[in-house]
Structure formats: structure tokens, C-alpha cells
Amino acid sequence: MPGLPTEIVEMLGQTLAKVVPVTIALALVFSLLSHFWACNPGKPWWRKRELVTDICYWFLVPLFARVFRIGLLVLGTALLFGIHDADELIAFYDNGHGPLSRMPLWLQAMLFLVAADFMMYWLHRMFHGGGFWKYHAIHHSSEDVDWISAARFHPVNLVLGTIGVDVALLIAGISPGVMLWLGPFNIFHSAFVHANLNWTLGPFRYVVATPVFHRWHHTSREEGGDTNFAGTFPLWDILFGTFRMPKGALPEQYGVDDQSSFPREIIGQLAYPFRK
């Protein structure tokens, strides 16, 4: 145990070393694009309300996700396969296991992407109802939706959502190597759909999620907040009747119903679901 604090510090350093250059690149790209194709013209993202809150999420969520993803993978392997030894765990996950691991890596990546998006579609709908909404409301609380809003998620939402889905598919046998392909794509695409852009991509709006598609999801429930649940493939929304992209219209107002009383700082937001 004496080495645990050191390992945590090293993990934090490794995570920041990856996040910082990615953040700078995304900031430059979307600052330029939104200057010419803003969905909601006005102040730029660096002057948005609650910017400090979003920056905190942007840097803390990757560290949290990494720690919990590893922890759940270790726990799941121990419970399901009886593997406890560190070397055996590494060998077990190194190249995946079972039939799925014998597929070409590119095919595993495609399977992972489609399966994860399908599972996340239904989990996303779950988080819009009942007792789950109070956790997901954190993500919808941003009134100035932009690329940096993409990481604003409560830890419970992450564990039962993205992290849980990743762990389930890796335990099923898909090689962790696919994350080297999908990780950069997921980061960019998540920032892309939250970016302040008026892009619909024309006929491709039915193929891949776009900024306008997802920004309708961040409007009020009456306007479209209970539609467009897919993260990557709008096909799920089309198939299950939740697709919404009104022709000739763009979303304008974002946030939650009780916006005036919603906490604006990260500590208050993390505590919010437990006070409801």
C-alpha cells in the first residue's frame, strides 16, 4: 500500500499529459469553426457561463473514468472468472479472450462501436426518467452548450453509462486494443456534437450524430430534450421514434427546467442528486 499514493500521482500525471494537448487542439479547432458556422452566435466558449465548472469536469472525468474502468474490470474478472493474480489479469485482458478476440481488430472495433452505441441509447433513455434523471440533469444543466460541455457528467451517470458499457464489452472478450482506435474518435466526436456549430451534414444527418442533432437534445423537454438519444448513430432514434431535426430550424435555448436554482459549481452539482 505505501506505493499507492505514488501510483495515483503517476496516473494523474499520465492522464494530464494526454488531456492537455488534446484540449488545446480541440479548443483551436472549434474556436475557428464556430467563428464561421456558429449555431448560436454570441460570446465565444471561453466567455461562457460556468466555464470553470466545465474545465474541472474536463480534467477530472478522464482520471475518474480510468480509475473506475480498471477497478471494475478487475472486480468483474475476479467475480466471473475467478482470476485474482495481477499477471493473470494482464494476460487475460492483453488481447481479449474467447470468440470475439479472434475477430480482426478492425471488426472488433466496429462491433464495439455499434454495440456500445446501441446500449448507450437505451441507457440514455433510462437516465431521462424516474430516479435516474437527477444524475443526468448535471449534463443538461449547461446553458451555453459547447465542445467543453461534453465532459459534464455526474460520476454515477458515468459508471452506469459509458464506463459500465466499456467494461461489459471488454469482459465479453473484445480486445482492449480497440480502445486505441476508438478512444480518439470518441473524444473528438463527443466534443464535435456539443460544439456550437450549425452543421447538419445534409443527408448524412441520418448516418452520424451532428452538432444540430445533439443540440436539440439539450433543449427543454417540450422543445426536443426527450429526443435524439443516440451518441453516434441516429439510426437508433429513427428506429425507435425519437429522432428530431426540424427542417429550417435551429435550437436556441438550453438547460434544465429548474435552471435558476441549479448549482453552478462542480461541488454543488456533484452533491445535487443526493439532495433531491
Side-chain angles (χ1 to χ4, degrees):
M1 293 303 290
L4 184 59
T6 303
E7 291 179 6
I8 293 176
V9 171
E10 290 178 354
M11 186 178 296
L12 175 61
Q14 293 169 1
T15 302
L16 290 178
K18 294 179 181 179
V19 173
V20 170
V22 169
T23 302
I24 294 173
L26 292 175
L28 292 174
V29 168
F30 291 118
S31 294
L32 179 63
L33 294 178
S34 62
H35 177 75
F36 293 102
W37 295 286
C39 180
N40 307 116
K43 55 188 177 184
W45 66 267
W46 59 86
R47 293 176 54 197
K48 73 191 294 287
R49 288 165 287 192
E50 304 168 30
L51 176 62
V52 173
T53 297
D54 280 332
I55 289 176
C56 290
Y57 280 109
W58 188 263
F59 284 94
L60 290 176
V61 162
L63 177 63
F64 173 87
R66 183 176 181 183
V67 171
F68 270 77
R69 188 177 289 111
I70 293 173
L72 290 175
L73 284 170
V74 171
L75 179 62
T77 310
L79 293 176
L80 295 174
F81 301 99
I83 300 175
H84 303 275
D85 180 76
D87 291 334
E88 291 183 27
L89 281 168
I90 293 173
F92 181 79
Y93 282 116
D94 194 27
N95 295 303
H97 63 93
L100 295 179
S101 68
R102 292 191 283 273
M103 298 166 56
L105 197 59
W106 67 267
L107 188 55
Q108 290 186 55
M110 291 301 299
L111 175 62
F112 192 108
L113 185 63
V114 173
D117 201 53
F118 179 73
M119 294 164 69
M120 283 300 302
Y121 170 84
W122 290 106
L123 287 169
H124 197 169
R125 291 188 65 167
M126 177 190 78
F127 270 105
H128 271 250
F132 294 100
W133 169 250
K134 60 187 178 183
Y135 299 103
H136 191 59
I138 308 302
H139 183 63
H140 281 261
S141 65
S142 178
E143 295 177 86
D144 301 307
V145 178
D146 214 318
W147 68 272
I148 202 167
S149 308
R152 187 187 289 208
F153 278 102
H154 194 278
V156 173
N157 196 154
L158 289 171
V159 171
L160 297 180
T162 308
I163 297 173
V165 168
D166 288 350
V167 169
L169 291 173
L170 292 175
I171 287 179
I174 293 181
S175 169
V178 304
M179 303 304 288
L180 297 176
W181 295 19
L182 297 181
F185 169 78
N186 288 334
I187 293 172
F188 175 80
H189 190 257
S190 181
F192 172 68
V193 298
H194 288 89
N196 182 21
L197 296 173
N198 61 8
W199 292 4
T200 64
L201 301 187
F204 291 101
R205 73 184 67 191
Y206 305 113
V207 179
V208 65
T210 64
V212 172
F213 169 86
H214 192 69
R215 291 174 82 81
W216 278 114
H217 178 74
H218 276 268
T219 59
S220 67
R221 290 179 180 243
E222 294 75 19
E223 196 175 359
D226 271 337
T227 60
N228 298 358
F229 293 100
T232 304
F233 303 116
L235 173 65
W236 313 127
D237 288 289
I238 296 171
L239 288 176
F240 302 112
T242 53
F243 183 87
R244 173 175 169 77
M245 284 187 74
K247 188 175 181 179
L250 292 173
E252 297 180 358
Q253 300 293 325
Y254 312 99
V256 292
D257 293 339
D258 57 342
Q259 194 70 52
S260 60
S261 61
F262 206 91
R264 296 182 177 274
E265 75 290 345
I266 187 170
I267 299 300
Q269 291 184 2
L270 294 178
Y272 173 81
F274 306 109
R275 294 190 286 103
K276 295 296 287 182

